[in-house]
Amino acid sequence: MSRYMSSRFADLEAYVPGEQPQDRQYVKLNTNESPFPPSPQVIAAVSGEQVGMLNLYPDPECRRLKSKVAACYQVREENVFLANGSDDILNFAFMAFCDKDRPVAFPDISYGFYPVYARLHGISAREIPLREGFVLAAEDYYDLNSNIVIANPNAPSGRAIPVSDIEQILRTNPDHVVVVDEAYVDFGGESCVRLIDRYDNLLVCMTFSKSRSMAGGRLGFALGSPGLIEDLNKLKFSTNPYNINRLTLVAAEAALDSQDYYRENCRTIMENRCYTVEELRKLGFTTIPSLANFIFTSCPKCSGVELYGKLKERGVLVRCWDKPALRDYVRVTIGSREQMDAFLEQVRAILKEG
Ligand code: PMP
């Protein structure tokens, strides 16, 4: 830290994203990307006339895309907020709704960015322990008297809770915002978007990074009551009105015109998830039931950190954590059948090595 850095950030520990190595080709199962390319329409859209228009700023209101998102989710445009990845949305949500006196609560094991945003914005955060087996018990969030952020399905476990649980949490915290991070909802989970008309304290956060193969394009969106959306827009327009670039806007519009393609890809991922869990079970692994495009699994022979290291040597990247509760596990993104077979082959070889 230089002597010029504000003392506000002295205790801030930045989020560490998953590795994006550039040195060699890996079977890359560490950051929950889609193994499938964007749809042909998306590729055509970003290769078209918009490239020649990069001299012009994009539409800061993102009107065309906003109207398509609204139609896709059967909500009104005033229910839609768009930003540069759902990380950008979460940052705005923490900034907008929380402060020293308006604390936030989230599970102690969840997306690692939540505590970072809390610290970044000087928010007091309460981490609520998950129950045995990474189970989120809805009643632990009733009447909390604080804002709440829940990833559903949760990360890194992949476990999901039903919409009825989310509704109870909303009902018992009427004076606080409940952010439901549905980054992984398209792989078998149940979205709570239909509740936004009934609960003006609900903000549902989604992304094009996973099910819509656009992690590199950076597009996230949030759906919620017009008041919450207005608050988020106030902050976006006080930070960077052009936070979504021209190419991403047209790519996302084209992605929404390719629903069948992405639905089919999600189906394949879910099949591959089932296949991988079953093959790992035969090898003695224990896997947490997942409704996401990743699984959280523990090896019968070695720790998560060890398995991660051995797999990396063999050209397969997965993710592990050093936290005691997570140490036995690796998180494995579900990719194509070929990628999962390559992963399983290396796992079998590692187990044979002893
Ligand atoms: N929420 C969760 C739970 C995630 O795992 C991620 C991906 N790292 C994000 C949000 C952010 O995704 P993005 O910024 O790519 O939309």
Side-chain angles (χ1 to χ4, degrees), residues 15 85-87 90 111 114 151 155 181 183-184 207 209-210 218-220:
Y15 178 71
S86 51
D87 284 339
L90 291 165
Y111 184 30
Y114 303 153
D181 180 349
Y184 300 107
T207 179
S209 294
K210 318 293 176 185
R218 314 302 302 127
L219 186 78

Side-chain angles (χ1 to χ4, degrees), residues 36-337:
F36 304 112
S39 75
Q41 290 98 309
V42 170
I43 292 171
V46 294
S47 318
E49 63 172 6
Q50 292 293 326
V51 180
M53 294 172 72
L54 283 175
N55 54 316
L56 301 177
Y57 285 112
D59 172 15
E61 310 271 358
C62 311
R63 279 162 288 200
R64 264 204 328 257
L65 178 57
K66 198 181 289 179
S67 114
K68 277 192 182 250
V69 170
C72 178
Y73 287 89
Q74 297 175 334
V75 298
R76 282 163 292 140
E77 286 173 35
E78 70 220 46
N79 298 122
V80 182
F81 176 72
L82 299 158
N84 190 312
S86 51
D87 284 339
D88 209 24
I89 307 262
L90 291 165
N91 185 37
F92 284 129
F94 275 77
M95 205 193 306
F97 307 121
C98 311
D99 54 35
K100 252 192 352 303
D101 308 313
R102 270 181 237 240
V104 65
F106 42 76
D108 64 339
I109 298 170
S110 191
Y111 184 30
F113 228 135
Y114 303 153
V116 178
Y117 288 132
R119 243 171 264 147
L120 174 67
H121 298 298
I123 299 159
S124 58
R126 180 166 154 208
E127 301 202 1
I128 300 189
L130 291 178
R131 305 284 184 95
E132 184 70 31
F134 308 105
V135 169
L136 189 153
E139 59 266 34
D140 294 343
Y141 296 80
Y142 294 170
D143 303 304
L144 277 193
N145 206 24
S146 88
N147 294 317
I148 294 170
V149 182
I150 287 176
N152 192 34
N154 199 10
S157 68
R159 272 194 188 277
I161 58 172
V163 169
S164 54
D165 279 2
I166 298 284
E167 186 161 13
Q168 257 325 93
I169 294 169
L170 286 161
R171 201 178 281 147
T172 57
N173 293 279
D175 298 323
H176 292 88
V177 177
V178 178
V179 176
V180 181
D181 180 349
E182 293 190 351
Y184 300 107
V185 78
D186 294 332
F187 303 98
E190 191 191 358
S191 174
C192 63
V193 166
R194 63 185 157 83
L195 300 180
I196 63 171
D197 282 336
R198 256 181 292 155
Y199 298 91
D200 69 357
N201 57 332
L202 168 62
L203 189 76
V204 186
C205 186
M206 301 204 200
T207 179
F208 276 54
S209 294
K210 318 293 176 185
S211 57
R212 292 192 175 96
S213 299
M214 257 181 61
R218 314 302 302 127
L219 186 78
F221 60 103
L223 304 175
S225 59
L228 297 184
I229 301 304
E230 197 183 320
D231 297 340
L232 294 171
N233 269 315
K234 184 172 184 170
L235 294 182
K236 160 180 154 148
F237 280 85
S238 307
T239 311
N240 176 6
Y242 302 116
N243 61 345
I244 305 172
N245 74 73
R246 196 168 262 288
L247 296 180
T248 295
L249 284 175
V250 288
E253 287 164 27
L256 291 174
D257 290 334
S258 320
Q259 296 281 36
D260 291 348
Y261 171 81
Y262 293 111
R263 214 170 285 131
E264 186 57 33
N265 288 348
C266 288
R267 249 214 347 248
T268 306
I269 301 275
M270 289 188 270
E271 272 169 28
N272 294 350
R273 180 176 68 205
C274 210
Y275 166 74
T276 309
V277 169
E278 178 55 19
E279 291 303 306
L280 287 172
R281 191 193 59 77
K282 292 181 197 159
L283 298 172
F285 280 65
T286 309
T287 304
I288 304 297
S290 168
L291 287 180
N293 67 338
F294 56 83
I295 52 170
F296 204 46
T297 189
S298 83
C299 176
K301 295 250 172 71
C302 58
S303 74
V305 182
E306 281 168 325
L307 183 60
Y308 156 84
K310 289 180 183 183
L311 283 167
K312 188 170 178 183
E313 277 168 22
R314 293 164 169 272
V316 179
L317 271 189
V318 297
R319 191 136 189 215
C320 65
W321 285 264
D322 207 18
K323 232 174 159 171
L326 308 181
R327 204 168 277 156
D328 289 343
Y329 293 81
V330 289
R331 190 195 68 189
V332 185
T333 301
I334 302 298
S336 64
R337 176 67 184 252

